[in-house]
Amino acid sequence: MKLLSWNIRGLGKPRTRLALKKILHLHRPQIFFCCETKMLARQVESVCREFNFENCFVVDRTGMGGGLALIWRADVNVSITSYSSHHIDAIVSSESGLRWRCIGIYGHPEFSQKHNTWTLMKRLASLFSYLWCCFGDFNEIMHMHEKNGGNERNLNRVAEYRETVQSCNLQDMGCKGYPYTWSNKRYGDHFIEERLDRFLCSKDWGINFQESVGTNLVNWSSDHCPIILDFQERSKISRHAGKSLPRDYYEDMWSSHEGCRSIVQEEWSRYGARSWEAPVQQFQRIAKSSLA
């Protein structure tokens, strides 16, 4: 399962549509949460058909801004439970019978309204007992090191965000790639970048799902970067575990050990290298014999 989230800052822009098309083709997410579509429902539905998504739920824009969409493939069972101009809450049911919550969040950008985002998250946490993944643009950093440039963030606001995450029994899934997901696209001393977008999952998420880390993707068509989470049910992993073949590995850290070269030469000469045999096959055979 792959979840994609992006504050796209206008789904109607040709450059953004082209960037999204490439991302969807490369990563093939099953569920896509989109913030700031700046579109009406019928317009978003047309885009869904263009990108071969069979299902979508849309929250219309407000005036010329805002707008949310949760979009998913036909092979995913999604039921919408609640929504607002700042969230879409859905329950995903898998073939194994497991149910979990998929909640896309668009945090209030105004400083005076940020507390409403934390109130919303706490209210959503109280509604169901399912495992949940809460993700999107929270419009706030969780730690002071998640901002580069500009004035320091208000410590109380950052602490309030962390307190909300803890109160909701959530954990940050971390990130790979570039550490920041938003920038003001300015230069020099005026340049600011922050990690505003992330995946938060239940602390017991790993009981039913393989541990995974979010990935920040590179993009230049919006001031936000898309983020993606790739995970799999543990029950599916166990069903296929017996089909995998044993593998031999070489750990490069041993190359710096002073006795490594002589040990490898001794084992290689003892069990013999065959000129007609492929290098990988030679390694597997000799490693197996040496470890026997």
Side-chain angles (χ1 to χ4, degrees), residues 148-151 182-193:
N148 178 36
N151 298 325
W182 172 86
S183 79
N184 62 357
K185 292 188 176 293
R186 297 183 183 179
Y187 299 94
D189 295 338
H190 301 288
F191 178 69
I192 301 173
E193 54 187 356

Side-chain angles (χ1 to χ4, degrees), residues 224-240:
H224 283 261
C225 292
I227 58 174
I228 193 165
L229 184 70
D230 187 355
F231 61 95
Q232 191 173 356
E233 276 188 59
R234 290 195 179 278
S235 60
K236 291 184 178 179
I237 297 172
S238 61
R239 284 202 299 269
H240 297 288

Side-chain angles (χ1 to χ4, degrees), residues 261-275:
R261 185 179 182 86
S262 60
I263 292 172
V264 171
Q265 287 179 333
E266 180 181 347
E267 295 301 297
W268 199 264
S269 60
R270 178 185 299 179
Y271 295 102
R274 301 163 183 168
S275 59

